[in-house]
Amino acid sequence: MELELIRQLQSIATPALDLLFQLLTILGEPVPSVLIFLGLYWTVDREAGEFLGYCLCSSLLLGNAVKDIVQAPRPIGEEGVRSLRVHTATGHSFPSGHTQSAATLYTGLGMYLKRRGPQIAFALLILLVGLSRVYLGVHYPKDVLAGLVLGVLVPFLARWLFARVPRQRLYLLTALTFLPILLISPGHDFYVAAGCMLGFLVAMPLVHRRLPFRTDVPGHAKLLRLLLGSLMVGGCHLLLKILLPSGEGMTILRYAATIFFALAGCPWLFLRFPHVFGGGTKTQK
């Protein structure tokens, strides 16, 4: 039945719709998610950025843990199913990682903005990202539904936990909760998620104690933070990919170092070069 739903949706396919849904699905991929998260963290509201970063890392761990436990196959290669952008369809099928990431990101942003208009727009965007995964023939409808539910659940649960558990304890408990998954020989994407959480876990205490950077800086400083910071983070990741040997342990190290640099290294540079990035050490939004 789910295969038939995919075939029916793809029966309306046109080159324009192919392009539209490929663009929509990109909004659930890592690069846009990281840019939005870091833009919030570096230039708008450090506290909100930290919350969103925790949500994204936790959601990534949760989604990939479920994928590796369930090990559901994708519809790619099934009769009558045309699959596009398959290079982004890594790992198992259930739940949809794109949908879950989009749901976590845009639900978290909606919580921060607290305005009905953007919240409605974000909800629509989440649904369109989920629909794109079915249209592109890389997920079953149930994968999308599960990703949507998990993705929305994570920010609400995180907000509840933030109000009740000290942050560093919460971050450590979250990492330890998913540690047993490493015993079942998980896929590559779980090691990526583990590296991201490790980098987050190590960076945030340093930021709290030593790097109280502020975000109420001039517009040109915000722009330079976003542009130069993004280039430096991307360069750091590529350099580590070249220098470090292959292997899942190195994958964890590479992503941990990249996230650590984004969360702590870039703020250190902001404070070190205030004439470029804006300065001061007073903690403000």
Side-chain angles (χ1 to χ4, degrees), residues 38-216:
L38 290 179
L40 180 65
Y41 177 72
W42 288 339
T43 70
V44 181
D45 187 327
R46 196 187 78 192
E47 294 291 319
E50 180 179 343
F51 173 79
L52 189 59
Y54 170 74
C55 289
L56 289 170
C57 289
S58 299
S59 187
L60 196 62
L61 278 172
L62 175 61
N64 283 292
V66 175
K67 280 177 181 281
D68 291 325
I69 291 171
V70 177
Q71 297 189 9
R74 293 180 180 269
I76 298 172
E78 293 287 347
E79 184 179 356
V81 173
R82 183 182 62 127
S83 297
L84 301 174
R85 204 169 172 78
V86 294
H87 65 281
T88 68
T90 57
H92 301 291
S93 191
F94 182 91
S96 166
H98 280 66
T99 307
Q100 185 172 336
S101 294
T104 298
L105 175 66
Y106 300 117
T107 299
L109 287 175
M111 285 179 170
Y112 172 68
L113 294 175
K114 299 178 182 178
R115 294 200 296 270
R116 183 66 61 184
Q119 288 174 343
I120 293 173
F122 287 147
L124 179 61
L125 188 57
I126 293 167
L127 292 174
L128 288 173
V129 170
L131 182 63
S132 75
R133 304 308 287 166
V134 180
Y135 177 91
L136 296 176
V138 292
H139 276 292
Y140 292 99
K142 68 174 179 293
D143 305 335
V144 168
L145 180 60
L148 192 153
V149 171
L150 291 175
V152 170
L153 177 64
V154 166
F156 281 97
L157 179 59
R159 185 170 67 177
W160 185 85
L161 289 170
F162 260 55
R164 291 163 176 80
V165 183
R167 291 188 192 180
Q168 292 310 312
R169 185 183 302 173
L170 173 61
Y171 301 158
L172 180 59
L173 288 174
T174 302
L176 292 176
T177 297
F178 290 97
L179 190 61
I181 300 297
L182 293 173
L183 300 177
I184 66 170
S185 299
H188 175 77
D189 290 346
F190 184 83
Y191 288 98
V192 171
C196 291
M197 179 55 83
L198 177 60
F200 183 88
L201 177 65
V202 175
M204 293 322 301
L206 180 60
V207 172
H208 290 162
R209 295 169 187 167
R210 302 291 183 184
L211 302 169
F213 72 98
R214 58 195 293 177
T215 56
D216 59 334

